[in-house]
């Protein structure tokens, strides 16, 4: 009899909670977030979150932290491109501009990136002040499938996210399995040149060179834990000459232009063999930033460059697929050709 | 009360109907006097009456508002600053805050009007500087740090600096105001000696006894400038009477000590 | 008599101390330069170094690993020269300004040249301009800032022209600082902001021969007026009236010193970013050693500033794979040395 009452009671609690329409979700920072039953308005707290929400539930995206420029807008539906610029939520020194959030009136805030205690406490604070649930997901590259799956679950769009998830899983599996069999001696060395002088680089273990590690390449700047600006560090010319990297990746067009003429760079193997590559960045970068799902196409691009005997992706085709999945618009053949024809994108 | 002296070849510095002050404020006007080589002139007056302004005008640092100043035979307004500096030397009141220059280096600075733009003092300049120091019995201090000297010693070094410019006229702004009794004696002794050697001494002071002490010759003069801008020039005894001093400083006549006695 | 003898001894001792300082500093400079040439991430042994140098001077091939000659003559050599000249220029500008403002707590930045140059460079990075444009904007920015401050000081002729300059410098400098902060805020946090941060930290890492070819003549040319007028600059330490009574055109001399110091500092900042401390402390340290007389102070300040900067840069570029910013090292190494120097001097004086 008592058992009967307990069971009835439990059933009653469960059904009332589903009537109240909230679900409990544990995000990647270990925080318990009460998700609302209906999510129609999403505030993306940074570019990685914006990219993924654009891919899975674009009509629910409220705006961008940084407005879309005209050359970026050409790669996405105009409705998306014209979404307002809402501004950054988290500023320098961990300030959160809650006015921005309150003005936008989202049902939920999604942030994909670092999930350390700092950001967790910031998320808690924002929720406290605005009463809006805040979900933090780990943004590391190799957790991309989990990001997609969890985000889809949170937004209730698991079906819509299926094609993207399948593609990512398939790509990851293919890349990892084929790279795993390449012996260590044949793993390529890469120098990541940042900034106009090219003398800033990402140290091994930093988010900036995740792609290199994912692809099993060796970052020449392997001084882990060394102090720098967010794991970036400055190096001198002598050190670069000493490393003599066979391949250089950059996303700075100024550096790319000047590396061919500056005397100090000429002794480097990468410069002599014309293996300096400039990452495309429309509508979002292919390497390093923003550190989100946009790097997906970059993986295939870089795989072609680093392992030319193993990977021979048809980049034109891959760009069409990935852009369609992520940015809701298949690029025209002209757009693709122009993207790939930019100097520094394709190996000579 | 003015006693005009005839101008002549012995005139070191003279003023005719000089008005001193600033564009919006004239401090004193119609000042006429002549100082001959080897004379002394004391200038007294309450604070703010214009003593320093007068000096700055006589040095050419401030334009005269009316009238003119003559240095030797040339009008001051026609002279270049280095020319003025070669004839008339300024000994300032305060001597604070030098970097660690040596005494000799400080004195050598006075050689500037004699040196070309890019030149540095040479052996001759060093000699002149050392001689200036020796005249004031300061030769032993030549290598010492200027900032380490006492107030009186520093003041004497300033006088030595003025001598090193080989100017014949010394303009001293309250040369003994911040000094103790002993240092004051030192300074005025030195000034007396210089006067006997033929230097022209013009100085400001708040102490009438200084005027009596230094400007006691027949040709020496004392000038007073009142707060209202009235200028009186004459022999020291005639100008610095008890009633005059009382009126000048706004004190009771009975409080004024007897200087002329 | 004994007094004069004492004085003579005093002067002699002072003379000896000054000559010794010169000799010691000169030998130290040579030693540091030679050491700097032999130290670096790229290993070049002393034998290889000699071989490379003689091959360069007399022709023939050097007995050294591949790329060593490019490292030595295109990378390490220009960098050492740049460090020496920048260190010397900052020290010279600092010494001149300390005289001009009659204050040993003054650095070359007091009239805003560093803030102006920083704003120019930061804008250049923000706009994605080529490196030479960034350097050009830094140079122009520095000159513009000082010109503005000088004009403000000139228009507002207060009682104390020097104080007016300093106040104008502080105010305009902080305005420029807020401009820099605004640009940092608007900058792309992934790409531009780190580049801006690194530029502001200052570094000799990206110095190339072409940079030196433009900056060096400017710095040397602007050093020339200071050298020619080295004795007259002493007079700027006097109160204005004193100096004018000695026949000096104070305003004109002050302007010449400001122009010269600004040109050399702007040129230095445009090629290596903001490096502080040297311009403030080196002249002060040298003054403790040899006194304030500028014709003696200037060459020694240049020598000490240049040597110190080369030493600091050599350490910063060799001890680890990544570079240590020189601004960090100048303070870290210089502070204990300076404290020791102060203690030694005050002990001597008492």
């Amino acid at each position: 009899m008592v058992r009967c009452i307990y069971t009835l009671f439990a059933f009653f609690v469960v059904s009332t909670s589903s009537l109240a329409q909230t679900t409990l979700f544990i995000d990647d920072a270990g925080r318990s977030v009460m998700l609302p039953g209906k999510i129609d308005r999403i505030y993306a707290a940074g570019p990685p979150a914006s990219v993924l929400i654009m891919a899975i539930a674009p009509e629910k995206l409220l705006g961008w932290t940084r407005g879309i420029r005209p050359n970026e807008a050409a790669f996405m539906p105009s409705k998306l491109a014209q979404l307002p610029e809402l501004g950054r939520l988290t500023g320098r020194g961990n300030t959160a501009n809650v006015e921005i959030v309150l003005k936008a009136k989202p049902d939920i805030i999604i942030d994909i990136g670092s999930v350390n205690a700092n950001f967790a406490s910031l998320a808690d604070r924002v929720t406290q002040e605005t009463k809006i649930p805040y979900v933090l997901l780990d943004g590391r590259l190799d957790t991309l499938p989990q990001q997609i799956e969890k985000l889809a679950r949170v937004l209730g769009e698991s079906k819509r996210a299926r094609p993207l998830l399948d593609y990512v899983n398939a790509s990851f599996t293919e890349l990892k399995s084929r790279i795993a069999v390449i012996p260590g001696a044949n793993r390529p060395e890469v120098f990541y040149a940042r900034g106009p002088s090219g003398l800033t680089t990402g140290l091994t273990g930093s988010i900036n060179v995740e792609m290199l590690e994912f692809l099993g390449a060796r970052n020449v700047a392997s001084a882990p834990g060394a102090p720098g600006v967010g794991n970036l560090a400055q190096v001198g010319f002598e050190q670069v000459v000493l490393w003599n990297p066979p391949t250089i990746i950059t996303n700075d067009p100024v550096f790319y232009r000047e590396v061919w003429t500056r005397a100090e760079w000429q002794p480097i193997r990468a410069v002599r063999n014309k293996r300096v590559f400039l990452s495309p960045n429309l509508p979002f970068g292919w390497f390093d930033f923003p550190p989100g799902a946009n790097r997906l196409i970059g993986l295939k691009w870089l795989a072609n460059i680093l392992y030319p005997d193993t990977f021979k992706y048809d980049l034109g085709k891959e760009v069409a697929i990935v852009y369609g999945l992520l940015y809701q618009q298949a690029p025209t053949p002209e757009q693709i050709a122009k993207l790939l024809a930019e100097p520094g994108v394709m190996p000579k | 009360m003015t006693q005009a002296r005839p101008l002549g070849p012995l005139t070191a510095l003279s003023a005719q109907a000089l008005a001193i002050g600033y564009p919006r404020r004239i401090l004193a006007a119609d000042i006429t006097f002549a100082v001959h080589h080897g004379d002394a002139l004391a200038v007294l007056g309450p604070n703010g009456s214009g003593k320093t302004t007068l000096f700055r005008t006589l040095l050419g640092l401030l334009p005269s508002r009316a009238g003119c100043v003559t240095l030797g035979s040339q009008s001051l307004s026609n002279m270049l600053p280095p020319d003025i500096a070669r004839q008339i030397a300024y000994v300032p009141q305060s001597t604070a805050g030098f970097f660690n220059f040596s005494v000799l280096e400080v004195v050598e600075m006075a050689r500037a009007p004699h040196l070309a733009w890019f030149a540095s003092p040479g052996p001759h300049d060093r000699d002149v500087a050392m001689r200036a120091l020796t005249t004031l019995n300061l030769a032993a201090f030549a290598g010492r740090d200027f900032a380490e000297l006492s107030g009186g010693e520093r003041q004497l070094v300033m006088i030595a600096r003025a001598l090193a410019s080989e100017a014949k006229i010394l303009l001293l702004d309250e040369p003994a105001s911040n000094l103790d009794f002993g240092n004051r004696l030192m300074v005025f002794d030195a000034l007396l000696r210089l006067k006997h050697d033929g230097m022209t001494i013009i100085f400001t002071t708040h102490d009438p006894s200084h005027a009596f002490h230094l400007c006691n010759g027949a040709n020496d003069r004392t000038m007073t400038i009142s707060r209202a801008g009235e200028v009186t020039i004459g022999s020291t005894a005639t100008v610095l009477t008890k009633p005059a001093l009382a009126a000048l400083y706004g004190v009771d006549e009975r409080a004024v000590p007897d200087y002329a006695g | 008599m004994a007094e004069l003898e004492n004085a003579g001894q005093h002067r002699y001792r002072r003379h000896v101390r000054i000559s010794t300082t010169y000799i010691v500093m000169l030998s130290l400079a040579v030693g540091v330069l030679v050491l700097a040439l032999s130290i670096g991430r790229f290993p070049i042994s002393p034998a290889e170094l000699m071989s490379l140098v003689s091959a360069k001077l007399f022709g023939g091939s050097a007995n050294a690993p591949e790329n060593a000659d490019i490292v030595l003559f295109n990378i390490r050599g220009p960098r050492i020269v740049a460090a020496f000249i920048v260190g010397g220029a900052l020290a010279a500008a600092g010494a001149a300004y300390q005289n001009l403002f009659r204050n040993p707590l003054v650095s070359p930045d007091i009239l805003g040249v560093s803030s102006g140059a920083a704003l120019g460079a930061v804008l250049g990075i923000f706009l994605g301009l080529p490196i030479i444009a960034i350097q050009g904007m830094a140079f122009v920015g520095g000159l513009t800032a000082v010109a503005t401050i000088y004009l403000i000081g000139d228009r507002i002729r207060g009682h104390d022209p020097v104080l007016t300059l300093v106040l104008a410098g502080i105010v305009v400098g902080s305005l420029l600082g807020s401009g820099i902060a605004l640009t940092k805020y608007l900058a792309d946090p992934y790409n531009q902001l780190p580049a801006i941060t690194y530029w502001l930290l200052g570094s000799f890492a990206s110095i190339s021969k072409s940079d030196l070819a433009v900056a060096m003549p400017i710095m040397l040319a602007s050093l020339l007026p200071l050298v020619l007028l080295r004795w007259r600059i002493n007079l700027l330490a006097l109160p204005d009236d004193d100096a004018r009574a000695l026949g000096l055109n104070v305003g004109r001399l002050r302007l010449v010193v400001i122009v010269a110091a600004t040109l050399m500092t702007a040129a230095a900042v445009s090629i290596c970013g903001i490096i502080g401390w040297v311009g403030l402390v080196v002249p002060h340290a040298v003054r403790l050693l040899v006194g304030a007389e500028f014709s003696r102070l200037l060459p020694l300040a240049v020598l000490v500033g240049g040597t110190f900067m080369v030493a600091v840069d050599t350490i910063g570029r060799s001890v680890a794979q990544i570079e240590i910013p020189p601004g960090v090292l100048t303070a870290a190494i210089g502070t204990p040395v300076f404290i020791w120097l102060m203690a030694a001097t005050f002990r001597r004086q008492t």
Side-chain angles (χ1 to χ4, degrees), chain C residues 175-197:
Chain C
L175 181 68
L176 295 169
S178 55
I180 295 171
L182 180 66
T183 313
K184 280 168 80 172
Y185 186 75
L186 293 174
D188 175 354
Y190 293 118
N191 190 13
Q192 297 170 330
L193 190 56
I196 289 175
T197 306

Side-chain angles (χ1 to χ4, degrees), chain A residues 92 194 196-197 199-200 223 226-227 229 232-239 241-243 254 258 262 264 267 272 289 291, chain C residues 40-43 66-67 70-71 75-76 128-131 185 189-191 194 198 203 205-206 208 317 321-323:
Chain A
R92 323 275 169 275
R194 263 181 147 251
S197 66
L199 290 176
T200 316
V229 179
L232 291 177
Q234 181 139 55
V235 293
F237 278 126
E238 271 191 55
Q239 182 63 71
V241 172
L242 194 61
W243 282 328
V254 173
E258 304 203 352
R262 295 211 144 218
E264 310 79 45
R272 276 201 269 222
F289 46 81
Chain C
R41 296 301 302 173
F42 194 96
E66 192 198 357
N67 286 337
I70 295 191
V71 167
I75 297 177
R76 200 182 287 179
L129 302 178
I131 292 185
Y185 186 75
Y190 293 118
N191 190 13
Y198 275 114
S203 160
S206 45
S208 65
R317 67 175 163 85
Q321 270 191 356
I322 64 174
E323 299 248 329

Side-chain angles (χ1 to χ4, degrees), chain B residues 63-84:
Chain B
S64 61
R65 300 265 70 108
C68 69
V69 178
T70 311
L71 207 56
S73 51
Q74 285 176 288
S75 168
L76 197 68
S77 43
N78 291 340
M79 294 174 75
L80 292 172
D83 301 327
I84 302 176

Side-chain angles (χ1 to χ4, degrees), chain C:
Chain C
M1 245 320 94
E3 229 183 27
L4 267 170
E5 250 176 51
N6 229 342
Q9 261 183 20
H10 206 101
R11 283 185 60 197
Y12 177 70
R13 254 183 284 138
R14 188 192 168 105
H15 187 75
V16 164
R17 189 176 84 242
I18 292 173
S19 315
T20 317
T21 310
Y22 263 111
I23 295 174
V24 166
M25 283 319 306
L26 209 56
S27 354
L28 204 63
V30 170
V32 165
L33 284 172
V34 168
L35 213 62
L37 278 173
S38 359
I39 295 178
R41 296 301 302 173
F42 194 96
I44 300 181
S45 74
E48 289 161 353
L49 179 65
M50 303 274 281
S51 165
L52 284 164
V53 171
S54 64
K56 187 78 161 186
L57 290 174
F58 310 120
S61 64
N63 190 7
E66 192 198 357
N67 286 337
D69 62 328
I70 295 191
V71 167
L72 187 62
F73 296 115
N74 280 3
I75 297 177
R76 200 182 287 179
R79 184 164 174 164
I80 293 173
V81 172
F84 190 85
I85 293 195
V86 166
L90 291 177
Y97 271 172
Q98 285 173 4
N99 222 322
L100 191 123
F101 290 97
R102 300 178 210 124
N103 190 328
L105 293 180
V106 156
S107 77
D109 311 327
I110 190 172
L111 290 184
V113 61
S114 292
S115 318
L119 183 59
V122 163
L123 283 176
I125 297 174
F126 182 67
L127 297 171
L129 302 178
I131 292 185
I132 192 138
I134 297 174
Q135 293 171 333
M137 283 186 69
F139 186 69
V140 169
L143 296 183
T144 311
V146 176
T148 309
I149 290 168
Y150 184 82
L151 283 173
I152 293 177
D154 204 49
R155 285 296 117 94
I156 308 175
R157 282 160 176 273
H159 276 298
D160 187 347
V162 163
L163 181 63
T164 317
L165 271 178
V166 171
L167 290 176
I170 293 175
V171 163
V172 173
S174 62
L175 181 68
L176 295 169
S178 55
I180 295 171
L182 180 66
T183 313
K184 280 168 80 172
Y185 186 75
L186 293 174
D188 175 354
Y190 293 118
N191 190 13
Q192 297 170 330
L193 190 56
I196 289 175
T197 306
Y198 275 114
W199 194 93
L200 291 174
L201 269 180
S203 160
F204 291 102
S206 45
I207 301 259
S208 65
K209 254 166 54 169
S210 47
D211 294 341
L212 212 52
V214 176
M216 192 156 114
I218 297 179
M219 285 195 265
L220 291 178
S222 45
L223 193 58
L224 189 63
L226 292 186
V227 169
L228 290 176
L229 293 164
R230 62 194 183 285
W231 183 77
R232 289 233 157 215
I233 291 178
N234 283 321
L235 299 172
L236 288 177
L238 300 172
D240 271 15
D241 272 354
D242 279 27
R244 287 170 66 201
L246 286 173
L248 186 74
N249 187 336
V250 175
R252 194 169 56 194
L253 183 61
R254 197 175 281 149
L255 182 60
V256 169
V257 171
I258 290 178
V259 168
T262 302
L263 276 173
M264 67 177 78
T265 310
V269 172
S270 72
I271 58 172
C272 66
I274 301 185
I275 299 179
W277 205 93
V278 171
L280 173 62
V281 184
V282 167
H284 207 76
V286 175
R287 200 177 293 116
L288 285 177
L289 287 171
V290 297
E293 210 276 288
F294 198 73
S295 41
R296 212 168 42 229
L297 179 67
L298 182 64
L300 204 57
V302 169
L303 195 62
V304 172
T307 309
F308 182 63
M309 195 63 102
V310 171
V312 157
D313 183 53
T314 305
I315 296 175
R317 67 175 163 85
S318 337
V319 293
Q321 270 191 356
I322 64 174
E323 299 248 329
I324 307 177
V328 168
L329 285 174
T330 50
I333 298 174
T335 304
V337 171
F338 186 70
I339 290 178
W340 170 83
L341 183 62
M342 273 203 298
T345 311
F346 294 153
R347 234 183 296 124
R348 173 167 47 85
Q349 281 176 357
T350 50

